[in-house]
Amino acid sequence: MFDFTATYTDQYQLAMAQVYFENGHKDHRSVFDYFFRKLPFEGGYAVFSGLEDLLEIIENLSFDKKDIAYLEQTGFSEKFLNYLRDFKFQGSVYSVKEGDVVFPTRPVLQIEANIIEAQIVETLLLNLLNFQTLIATKASRMRLVSGDRHLLDFGLRRAQGPGGYYATRAAITGGFDGTSNVVAARNFDIPVSGTMAHSFVQSYDNEIDAFRSFAKGRPENCVLLVDTYNTLNSGVPNAIKIAKEMEERGQKLLAIRLDSGDLAYFAKESRKLLDKAGLEYVKIAASNQLDEYVIKSLLEQQAPIDIFGVGTNLVTGNPDSALDGVYKLAESNGKPRIKLSESLAKVTLPHKKQVFRIKNSSGQCVGADAIGLRSESRIEEMFHPFEPYKSMKLQNFEQEPLLHEVMKNGKSLVEKQSLKDIADYSLSRLAELPIEYKRFNNPHIYKVGISSALREDRDKLIKEYKQLS
Amino acid sequence: MFDFTATYTDQYQLAMAQVYFENGHKDHRSVFDYFFRKLPFEGGYAVFSGLEDLLEIIENLSFDKKDIAYLEQTGFSEKFLNYLRDFKFQGSVYSVKEGDVVFPTRPVLQIEANIIEAQIVETLLLNLLNFQTLIATKASRMRLVSGDRHLLDFGLRRAQGPGGYYATRAAITGGFDGTSNVVAARNFDIPVSGTMAHSFVQSYDNEIDAFRSFAKGRPENCVLLVDTYNTLNSGVPNAIKIAKEMEERGQKLLAIRLDSGDLAYFAKESRKLLDKAGLEYVKIAASNQLDEYVIKSLLEQQAPIDIFGVGTNLVTGNPDSALDGVYKLAESNGKPRIKLSESLAKVTLPHKKQVFRIKNSSGQCVGADAIGLRSESRIEEMFHPFEPYKSMKLQNFEQEPLLHEVMKNGKSLVEKQSLKDIADYSLSRLAELPIEYKRFNNPHIYKVGISSALREDRDKLIKEYKQLS
């Protein structure tokens, strides 16, 4: 396919870079904010994911020979290409921890680097973080409604091409237990699972032969797919026969799987048949167009399903296909910068910044983050960014800084974590969040405020910029 | 990242494969149909894309050392792993041509191979074809409403991770002219374009300096982004000044770009200002949350936009995140196979098949495809698959076979085509399609029928299978 070299970017990054290189701006230090404007799924929070992949790729980013040859052919200057031959990202990155709960319109990550480095990594950064955060958030919503039931990613076949690779990783950071995706399981050390397709049953002359052959060949974690012909008249009764044969060999059938029809009804009826046969230990797995709403509904109906296999809606984030994350200039060559907009709510914030999560004395989130200058260690009072009469005193609250230096001079400072650790961290952060931010319908809005120092500078810049135009 | 080795698959393919290997079924020849059930975007057609990538990957597919070591560790048997060490896909593929117009519930592609080979490539095949067909279809819809205006893919930053690579390829097969995605442009030989971001303008102390610096550094195909501060009061007037300076140097400004606000209004007002300054040749490019509906509306309002840059909605297929393509067993070890379903419309079709596009004597599609056995060279009468009283005589129609052998014994038979050739073919096929299948709202349904031979066998199998269950 392709490697992640520095041409995994938009052409305009390179066009701008050549101009910066040739007009002497190339060493201008710049600061960019990564943030998003809108939560996906009409939800109340998002789960930040993709950081480790991003840092690993940035740390090793370069233009290879094929890249340079291609750029030469498309008309970039020889001097600039010589610069690109030695290109290496040498900047710093400040970021929220992977797995943390994040909200719109406040920096999730800040990059400081020379302007060329900062631009070249923009596309890559947005591409990886927007997508993994979308999927981790989707996975987290399913985890929240599923309690301790087993959640499996079955999505590779419906994923957006090789996007499925990172979808699987993000699903695990958001709380899924395992995947059917072998290459992702291999590279990210994820529990892998999968047993049989309808085609397996069909390839035999009858269902019981197919089941028997499978149970003999793969007795460990054996799951029989019972809906190829008729779930309750043939699939489940045949699975029961095989489970009894397995018992005679000292083995246990792990589960049956339902993949069509009314899952609540079939799960209940199957459970009855299994229990009547003394197979209380045989679990029920279900799949087929699941998402957080369907899982919630199935459990509200007390469908006795132990394992959910989720495909399309997990790995593509359906119905939201993208997080709208952006990357905005906050400082250039030592000067603070903003981007104006017709809508005040879209004006960006200047400077190197810190984001504080406001908590009460028992460590619970109170429903607000405050943004200050990076030089501020605490914020005394925070102001609504666009409604000047609204403010909130913060003296009596704990303030947890969310942005940590994760890369310095191009070297990652983050120790490798298991995905399970990231998922556990995410769950612990969600536990600090009051329940009204986690509900699906009209969740409470997690507030944001800015410090008076940041507000003053921002307002001064707005005035200056309006005179410019 | 990862290579496309044979572990780009679902675990159950390997679990089933081991059982087939060990119970002596491994050389059972099997036939699988690839088809989808529902058109994306509530549209009337889809554009088939991804075939060349699929064949190239399948032709070279194997398990590498890392794969084998991983599978060993997850418990596959040594004998089976020895088989996988030499695994190679040696089957045949029959397919619709890439770029052709396709419809639901009829085979787009058929695979014939031993059962293990056919299963291992299933996930890969669905992953690549479902996604590229989704995106090529989306691109085609934008091409249809845009006439000969220039369409550019700007989506990489919002794509689903590395899915963006194939999204760009599919966008070109569906009729886009170019992309900002450098690595895709490099590998697929696509025209690449891109000039400046808002951050470029912001990094200078004022807009005119930014424009001047850019125009001097990159005078070829120069596009100035005019909405950083105030489009009509500063952006366009500054761009006009720069265009005049370029004229003095014997250069021409290619275009200005609008990326926010009311694009119809700003395009019209900008056009007036440019024309008044004698800059009729300077084009207007527009971007910002475009899709086929917005483009259609802009052109209905006679917005003088020459170039559209499309991102998220193109590369993710929003609001449809996946084509629901499936892969169903049609024959196993010489025996025809079907999959039953509670709904008759979901019962699959057995046998090796051919699909004929029915045309009138002037080569126009009449709005129906007919499915027969592969051994049938023509179909005299076709029958509605689920409504026995409906049939259509076909003697007086041309019948174009759509499925061609594209791979034989694991070797691709398809000559490398340029994406432009695929796109041109697609447009020529769309031209044969009556307009009522191409409209956005409630398009006419392209019919499907089956031959009497296929119908008889299918109905016989349904009866047999119902007795089984």
Side-chain angles (χ1 to χ4, degrees):
Chain A
M1 188 166 57
F2 64 90
D3 297 317
F4 278 119
T5 69
T7 52
Y8 194 84
T9 196
D10 288 304
Q11 172 78 359
Y12 77 178
Q13 315 288 12
L14 301 174
M16 292 188 282
Q18 177 167 322
V19 176
Y20 287 131
F21 178 78
E22 289 177 353
N23 72 7
H25 287 202
K26 82 175 172 55
D27 295 319
H28 282 192
R29 191 84 175 166
S30 63
V31 176
F32 281 85
D33 289 351
Y34 168 66
F35 63 95
F36 57 93
R37 291 207 169 96
K38 201 174 158 288
L39 282 164
F41 318 123
E42 301 182 348
Y45 70 93
V47 171
F48 177 54
S49 181
L51 180 64
E52 189 176 293
D53 303 298
L54 175 70
L55 296 178
E56 199 179 303
I57 293 168
I58 286 184
E59 203 170 16
N60 297 298
L61 204 65
S62 67
F63 292 89
D64 66 17
K65 282 186 184 165
K66 222 171 136 188
D67 292 328
I68 298 290
Y70 174 71
L71 295 177
E72 196 162 15
Q73 171 200 326
T74 57
F76 286 95
S77 73
E78 196 47 41
K79 265 193 185 167
F80 178 57
L81 291 175
N82 275 334
Y83 170 79
L84 293 187
R85 274 190 189 92
D86 297 324
F87 174 86
K88 223 184 126 11
F89 181 85
Q90 290 169 302
S92 296
V93 182
Y94 294 78
S95 175
V96 163
K97 286 187 190 163
E98 186 154 13
D100 204 353
V101 177
V102 292
F103 304 94
T105 66
R106 61 217 78 179
V108 172
L109 182 146
Q110 237 180 3
I111 288 252
E112 293 176 33
N114 85 38
I115 184 78
I116 293 183
E117 291 165 16
Q119 288 286 180
I120 284 175
V121 303
E122 174 186 5
T123 308
L124 169 70
L125 181 152
L126 291 172
N127 176 270
L128 289 177
L129 300 184
N130 281 339
F131 180 52
Q132 285 206 39
T133 300
L134 179 81
I135 304 305
T137 305
K138 189 77 173 175
S140 167
R141 291 160 63 83
M142 296 191 217
R143 171 46 65 208
L144 284 189
V145 294
S146 300
D148 60 359
R149 284 167 193 82
H150 215 63
L151 292 177
L152 298 175
D153 154 38
F154 285 176
L156 184 57
R157 61 190 53 208
R158 296 284 171 78
Q160 298 211 336
Y165 181 68
Y166 287 114
T168 294
R169 182 185 184 280
I172 306 300
T173 65
F176 266 56
D177 297 293
T179 185
S180 67
N181 180 341
V182 183
V183 67
R186 187 196 78 181
N187 287 3
F188 295 121
D189 194 19
I190 300 167
V192 67
S193 70
T195 56
M196 65 167 65
H198 293 119
S199 60
F200 185 85
V201 180
Q202 292 172 269
S203 80
Y204 286 76
D205 287 332
N206 55 64
E207 192 177 52
I208 189 89
D209 289 350
F211 286 1
R212 186 171 288 123
S213 169
F214 197 88
K216 282 188 182 161
R218 304 271 305 174
E220 302 289 320
N221 298 317
C222 181
V223 180
L224 300 174
L225 180 62
V226 294
D227 67 340
T228 304
Y229 302 115
N230 185 308
T231 302
L232 300 176
N233 291 337
S234 88
V236 179
N238 281 333
I240 288 171
K241 273 183 216 153
I242 298 301
K244 293 292 177 187
E245 293 176 13
M246 290 178 79
E247 283 183 350
E248 283 166 26
R249 297 196 292 273
Q251 299 164 342
K252 280 191 168 179
L253 178 64
L254 176 66
I256 60 165
R257 178 159 76 100
L258 305 165
D259 187 44
S260 59
D262 188 308
L263 296 175
Y265 170 76
F266 283 116
K268 286 179 191 177
E269 295 302 314
S270 300
R271 186 75 268 160
K272 280 183 211 161
L273 294 173
L274 290 167
D275 290 354
K276 214 169 116 186
L279 297 168
E280 290 83 358
Y281 64 83
V282 174
K283 292 180 166 42
I284 296 180
S287 50
N288 194 22
Q289 302 298 326
L290 300 180
D291 65 12
E292 63 271 47
Y293 300 99
V294 177
I295 292 173
K296 186 166 185 275
S297 163
L298 286 168
L299 295 176
E300 282 166 0
Q301 295 167 72
Q302 301 184 292
I305 298 171
D306 309 285
I307 302 165
F308 292 100
V310 190
T312 315
N313 295 314
L314 170 67
V315 298
T316 67
N318 187 52
D320 284 336
S321 63
L323 185 77
D324 72 350
V326 293
Y327 187 79
K328 295 292 178 188
L329 188 67
E331 211 177 285
S332 173
N333 203 25
K335 296 176 197 160
R337 298 295 187 189
I338 58 169
K339 160 95 179 67
L340 289 186
S341 169
E342 287 192 308
S343 146
L344 193 59
K346 285 183 84 177
V347 174
T348 61
L349 295 171
H351 290 302
K352 294 170 189 158
K353 296 182 281 290
Q354 180 54 278
V355 181
F356 297 94
R357 185 139 297 164
I358 311 302
K359 298 181 163 187
N360 62 22
S361 53
S362 57
Q364 278 291 110
C365 299
V366 302
D369 291 336
I371 314 173
L373 302 175
R374 191 179 301 152
S375 53
E376 297 181 273
S377 59
R378 266 189 76 82
I379 295 176
E380 294 307 305
E381 184 175 7
M382 74 175 195
F383 299 84
H384 193 286
F386 314 116
E387 294 175 44
Y389 51 88
K390 278 195 188 171
S391 78
M392 178 178 170
K393 306 269 188 209
L394 298 178
Q395 291 98 328
N396 299 323
F397 291 103
E398 283 186 30
Q399 303 187 14
E400 181 197 349
L402 299 182
L403 297 177
H404 305 275
E405 191 171 16
V406 294
M407 176 170 273
K408 189 172 186 164
N409 302 331
K411 293 277 168 230
S412 173
L413 305 174
V414 172
E415 281 189 36
K416 186 122 186 131
Q417 281 182 284
S418 73
L419 297 186
K420 180 82 178 61
D421 286 346
I422 296 173
D424 286 347
Y425 175 67
S426 192
L427 282 173
S428 74
R429 297 294 274 179
L430 274 169
E432 296 171 5
L433 204 65
I435 195 166
E436 58 266 32
Y437 299 95
K438 292 181 270 194
R439 69 177 178 237
F440 290 168
N441 293 322
N442 294 314
H444 207 47
I445 292 168
Y446 209 86
K447 291 185 185 58
V448 68
I450 56 180
S451 72
S452 59
L454 184 54
R455 188 176 61 146
E456 271 167 38
D457 272 22
R458 200 258 331 238
D459 291 350
K460 208 166 68 183
L461 280 167
I462 292 179
K463 269 187 205 146
E464 282 177 28
Y465 276 48
K466 289 212 163 145
Q467 284 164 354
L468 270 184
S469 66
Chain B
M1 189 168 53
F2 64 90
D3 297 318
F4 278 120
T5 69
T7 52
Y8 193 84
T9 197
D10 288 303
Q11 171 78 357
Y12 76 0
Q13 314 288 11
L14 301 175
M16 292 188 282
Q18 176 166 322
V19 176
Y20 287 132
F21 178 78
E22 290 177 352
N23 71 7
H25 288 203
K26 82 175 172 55
D27 295 319
H28 282 192
R29 191 84 176 165
S30 63
V31 176
F32 281 85
D33 290 352
Y34 168 66
F35 64 95
F36 57 92
R37 291 208 168 97
K38 199 172 159 290
L39 282 163
F41 318 122
E42 300 182 348
Y45 70 93
V47 172
F48 177 54
S49 182
L51 180 64
E52 190 176 293
D53 303 297
L54 175 70
L55 296 178
E56 201 180 300
I57 293 168
I58 286 185
E59 203 170 17
N60 298 298
L61 204 66
S62 67
F63 292 88
D64 67 17
K65 281 185 185 164
K66 220 171 136 187
D67 292 328
I68 297 290
Y70 174 71
L71 296 177
E72 196 163 13
Q73 171 199 327
T74 56
F76 286 96
S77 73
E78 197 46 43
K79 266 192 183 168
F80 177 58
L81 290 175
N82 275 333
Y83 170 80
L84 293 187
R85 275 190 187 93
D86 297 325
F87 174 85
K88 225 186 123 10
F89 181 85
Q90 290 169 304
S92 296
V93 181
Y94 293 79
S95 175
V96 163
K97 286 186 190 163
E98 185 155 12
D100 204 353
V101 177
V102 291
F103 304 94
T105 67
R106 61 217 80 178
V108 172
L109 182 146
Q110 241 183 359
I111 289 252
E112 292 177 33
N114 85 38
I115 184 79
I116 293 182
E117 291 165 17
Q119 289 287 179
I120 284 176
V121 302
E122 175 186 5
T123 308
L124 170 70
L125 180 152
L126 291 171
N127 176 270
L128 290 177
L129 299 184
N130 281 339
F131 180 52
Q132 286 207 40
T133 299
L134 179 81
I135 304 306
T137 305
K138 189 77 172 175
S140 167
R141 291 161 64 83
M142 297 192 216
R143 171 46 66 208
L144 283 188
V145 294
S146 301
D148 59 0
R149 284 167 193 81
H150 215 65
L151 292 177
L152 298 175
D153 154 38
F154 285 174
L156 184 57
R157 63 189 52 206
R158 296 284 171 79
Q160 298 210 336
Y165 180 69
Y166 288 113
T168 295
R169 181 185 184 277
I172 305 299
T173 65
F176 267 55
D177 297 295
T179 186
S180 68
N181 180 340
V182 183
V183 66
R186 186 195 79 179
N187 286 3
F188 295 122
D189 194 19
I190 299 167
V192 68
S193 69
T195 57
M196 66 166 65
H198 293 119
S199 58
F200 185 85
V201 180
Q202 291 172 271
S203 80
Y204 286 76
D205 286 332
N206 56 62
E207 193 177 51
I208 188 89
D209 288 351
F211 285 1
R212 187 172 288 123
S213 170
F214 197 88
K216 282 187 183 163
R218 305 270 306 173
E220 302 288 322
N221 300 316
C222 181
V223 180
L224 300 174
L225 181 61
V226 294
D227 67 340
T228 303
Y229 301 113
N230 185 310
T231 303
L232 300 175
N233 292 337
S234 89
V236 178
N238 281 333
I240 288 171
K241 273 183 218 151
I242 298 301
K244 293 293 178 187
E245 293 176 13
M246 290 178 78
E247 282 183 350
E248 282 167 26
R249 297 196 293 272
Q251 299 165 342
K252 282 189 166 179
L253 177 64
L254 176 66
I256 60 165
R257 177 158 77 99
L258 305 165
D259 188 43
S260 59
D262 189 310
L263 296 175
Y265 169 77
F266 283 116
K268 286 178 192 177
E269 295 302 313
S270 300
R271 186 75 269 160
K272 281 183 209 160
L273 293 172
L274 290 167
D275 290 354
K276 214 169 115 185
L279 296 169
E280 289 85 358
Y281 64 84
V282 175
K283 292 181 165 44
I284 296 180
S287 49
N288 194 21
Q289 301 299 326
L290 300 179
D291 66 11
E292 63 270 47
Y293 299 98
V294 177
I295 293 173
K296 187 165 184 276
S297 163
L298 286 168
L299 296 175
E300 282 167 359
Q301 296 167 72
Q302 301 185 292
I305 298 171
D306 309 286
I307 302 165
F308 292 100
V310 191
T312 316
N313 295 314
L314 170 67
V315 298
T316 67
N318 187 52
D320 283 336
S321 63
L323 185 77
D324 72 350
V326 293
Y327 186 79
K328 294 292 177 187
L329 188 68
E331 213 177 282
S332 173
N333 202 24
K335 296 176 197 160
R337 298 295 187 190
I338 58 169
K339 160 96 179 68
L340 289 185
S341 169
E342 287 193 308
S343 146
L344 193 59
K346 286 184 81 177
V347 175
T348 62
L349 295 170
H351 290 303
K352 293 170 189 158
K353 295 181 280 291
Q354 180 55 278
V355 180
F356 298 93
R357 186 140 294 165
I358 311 302
K359 297 179 163 187
N360 63 22
S361 54
S362 56
Q364 278 292 109
C365 299
V366 302
D369 291 336
I371 313 173
L373 302 175
R374 192 180 299 151
S375 53
E376 296 181 274
S377 58
R378 267 189 75 81
I379 295 176
E380 294 307 305
E381 184 176 6
M382 73 174 197
F383 300 83
H384 192 287
F386 315 115
E387 294 176 42
Y389 51 88
K390 278 194 189 172
S391 78
M392 179 179 170
K393 305 270 186 209
L394 299 177
Q395 292 97 331
N396 299 323
F397 291 102
E398 284 186 30
Q399 302 187 13
E400 181 198 349
L402 299 182
L403 298 177
H404 305 274
E405 191 170 17
V406 293
M407 177 170 271
K408 190 173 184 165
N409 302 331
K411 293 277 167 230
S412 173
L413 305 174
V414 172
E415 281 189 35
K416 185 121 187 130
Q417 282 182 285
S418 73
L419 297 186
K420 181 83 178 61
D421 286 346
I422 296 173
D424 287 346
Y425 175 68
S426 192
L427 282 173
S428 74
R429 297 294 276 181
L430 274 169
E432 296 171 5
L433 204 65
I435 195 166
E436 59 266 32
Y437 299 95
K438 292 181 269 195
R439 69 177 179 237
F440 290 168
N441 294 321
N442 294 316
H444 207 49
I445 292 167
Y446 209 87
K447 292 185 184 58
V448 67
I450 56 179
S451 71
S452 59
L454 184 53
R455 188 175 62 145
E456 272 169 37
D457 272 21
R458 199 259 329 238
D459 291 350
K460 208 165 71 183
L461 279 167
I462 292 179
K463 268 187 208 148
E464 282 177 29
Y465 276 49
K466 289 213 164 146
Q467 283 165 353
L468 270 184
S469 66

